[in-house]
Amino acid sequence: NTCFSAVTDRGFFVFNTEPYRPLICRDFESGLSLLSMLFRFEVFVLVGSSYSPSPSAAATNTKALLWDDHASRCIGELSFRSPIRSIRLRRDTIVVILLHKIYLYNFSDLKLLHQLETTSNPKGLCEVSQISGPMLLVCPGLQKGSVRVENYGSKKCKFINAHSSNITCLALTHDGRVLATASSKGTLIRCFNTLDGTLIQEVRRGADRAEIYCLAFSPTAQWLAVSSDKGTIHVFSLKADSVVLGDDRSTSALESPLSNQSALSSLSILKGVLPKYFSSEWSVAQFRLPEGSQCIVAFGQQKNTIMIIGMDGSFRRCQFDPVNGGQMTQMEEHNFLKQEEHFPSWNEDS
């Protein structure tokens, strides 16, 4: 989470997050529809964009280019018969997600390692573990509401029936041990242990149907941030950190979020009498954006901070109170689409 990248119909740029500052700006004649960045290395996988009056023009893109930005050249190419929906990278693997299939390639020689079938996956949902060693991959299963967990260490495949509706968002902890899921209803987010498929926790975003844009774990899985089309960013307190950190957690009692009191409904004593809604676990902290704002969220390096990056070009850093909860405090805000400010040469040839 130390940097983020954005693609436009002109090319791409990369920004440092802490402190916020521009890093890279690249112009491509035909523009791009997708980009995936390998950590902070100058290696990218790019998916091109063709100009067309059709709003679905990007759906025609079927080539992934491995781009070495240091050498300013393409060092590899992968071609497919159907549009690429998303790309995920590890130091050793390139994962290409299509509508019904996922392909895994060795990073060094682009050799095909494995392929998986999924249910219809227009959003290209797929996440992979990032620690060294065998990879763990999660993606939609073959049935509605199911998630496939592919463990390349144990060579075992597990299916988790996470929701009754279609899966619309996934997140994985850095080590791959905890999975968060949301469905097309967007009311409940569930966390699972990927090793045995057990449900660890269920939290409630709200009562109304919503489109979940992003789920993000904090580094220790103590917190989960959620963004949706309702415009409110939520931060939940999780029990999942015990799965990630075992019994060696050093979190002090003072840092424990409200002893979970704000997250639990005061009516939980009536659990089993009142509808499930009243005994749900609610978010500890919130931040309000205009309704419909499409954004992704991530946790900052500074303690108890999150970053909110919007499709409107907004970059915000906010801080939340882990003890008292409530509304977050905005610490800074920028517009990364103001190219003339960040990259004076961007408009030289315009």
Side-chain angles (χ1 to χ4, degrees):
N1 298 342
T2 61
C3 55
F4 71 93
S5 58
V7 297
T8 72
D9 56 3
R10 294 193 54 178
F12 75 90
F13 32 72
V14 179
F15 286 84
N16 197 69
T17 57
E18 297 180 67
Y20 171 86
R21 61 185 173 87
L23 294 177
I24 297 173
C25 173
R26 298 292 178 260
D27 209 340
F28 287 84
E29 265 184 37
S30 59
L32 299 169
S33 61
L34 287 172
L35 175 145
S36 193
M37 184 177 181
L38 181 62
F39 295 96
R40 291 185 68 94
F41 304 142
E42 293 180 321
V43 177
F44 302 87
V45 176
L46 312 175
V47 178
S49 173
S50 7
Y51 286 116
S52 164
S54 165
S56 61
T60 62
N61 301 315
T62 57
K63 286 185 179 180
L65 305 177
L66 192 58
W67 177 260
D68 182 337
D69 197 67
H70 182 72
S72 294
R73 66 186 184 93
C74 179
I75 55 175
E77 180 181 309
L78 296 167
S79 294
F80 303 90
R81 293 180 180 177
S82 61
I84 298 170
R85 303 291 172 161
S86 67
I87 306 275
R88 294 291 179 267
L89 299 181
R90 274 172 48 109
R91 285 185 170 89
D92 54 1
T93 314
I94 299 175
V95 183
V96 180
I97 300 95
L98 309 182
L99 184 62
H100 291 104
K101 282 206 168 187
I102 295 177
Y103 294 91
L104 285 71
Y105 296 90
N106 191 39
F107 213 120
S108 59
D109 57 11
L110 300 186
K111 179 183 177 183
L112 181 63
L113 301 174
H114 194 206
Q115 54 182 299
L116 310 169
E117 287 192 11
T118 69
T119 186
S120 181
N121 187 12
K123 289 187 172 183
L125 300 177
C126 180
E127 298 298 336
V128 294
S129 61
Q130 293 294 347
I131 58 172
S132 58
M135 178 173 68
L136 187 136
L137 178 149
V138 294
C139 63
L142 292 169
Q143 305 296 325
K144 181 171 71 171
S146 78
V147 178
R148 178 174 186 156
V149 179
E150 196 76 29
N151 190 324
Y152 289 92
S154 65
K155 297 183 179 178
K156 290 181 179 177
C157 173
K158 180 179 291 292
F159 289 90
I160 298 173
N161 293 318
H163 299 269
S164 57
S165 305
N166 288 323
I167 303 294
T168 58
C169 204
L170 296 172
L172 202 57
T173 52
H174 197 69
D175 62 4
R177 292 174 70 180
V178 182
L179 161 72
T181 66
S183 76
S184 54
K185 287 185 180 178
T187 53
L188 296 172
I189 292 95
R190 294 185 172 123
C191 293
F192 298 90
N193 184 331
T194 58
L195 300 181
D196 57 18
T198 56
L199 177 67
I200 301 170
Q201 191 173 355
E202 177 183 276
V203 297
R204 181 175 289 276
R205 180 214 53 81
D208 300 333
R209 182 180 289 267
E211 182 180 356
I212 303 296
Y213 291 135
C214 183
L215 302 172
F217 285 103
S218 65
T220 60
Q222 183 184 1
W223 309 101
L224 178 73
V226 180
S227 67
S228 74
D229 63 353
K230 293 298 181 183
T232 302
I233 309 299
H234 294 273
V235 172
F236 295 91
S237 169
L238 296 183
K239 306 181 186 93
D241 56 344
S242 60
V243 177
V244 176
L245 301 177
D247 294 324
D248 300 325
R249 285 176 291 172
S250 58
T251 307
S252 70
L254 288 175
E255 292 173 328
S256 231
L258 310 162
S259 303
N260 266 345
Q261 290 309 303
S262 82
L264 289 168
S265 166
S266 58
L267 295 172
S268 60
I269 192 170
L270 298 175
K271 189 175 184 179
V273 179
L274 292 172
K276 195 175 181 181
Y277 173 88
F278 292 101
S279 59
S280 293
E281 293 189 47
W282 298 82
S283 58
V284 170
Q286 308 83 31
F287 186 80
R288 189 76 191 168
L289 296 168
E291 189 162 339
S293 300
Q294 190 168 350
C295 61
I296 58 172
V297 287
F299 285 85
Q301 293 168 280
Q302 193 176 332
K303 204 169 184 182
N304 305 324
T305 61
I306 67 164
M307 298 170 289
I308 307 167
I309 301 168
M311 287 289 283
D312 59 355
S314 59
F315 172 90
R316 294 179 174 90
R317 189 192 321 282
C318 301
Q319 189 164 38
F320 63 92
D321 187 328
V323 178
N324 299 310
Q327 292 299 311
M328 299 184 218
T329 304
Q330 181 169 300
M331 302 165 69
E332 61 178 308
E333 181 178 3
H334 306 278
N335 186 338
F336 62 82
L337 287 179
K338 289 185 176 178
Q339 297 101 335
E340 66 278 1
E341 282 184 16
H342 301 301
F343 306 105
S345 62
W346 179 271
N347 292 319
E348 278 182 5
D349 300 326
S350 298

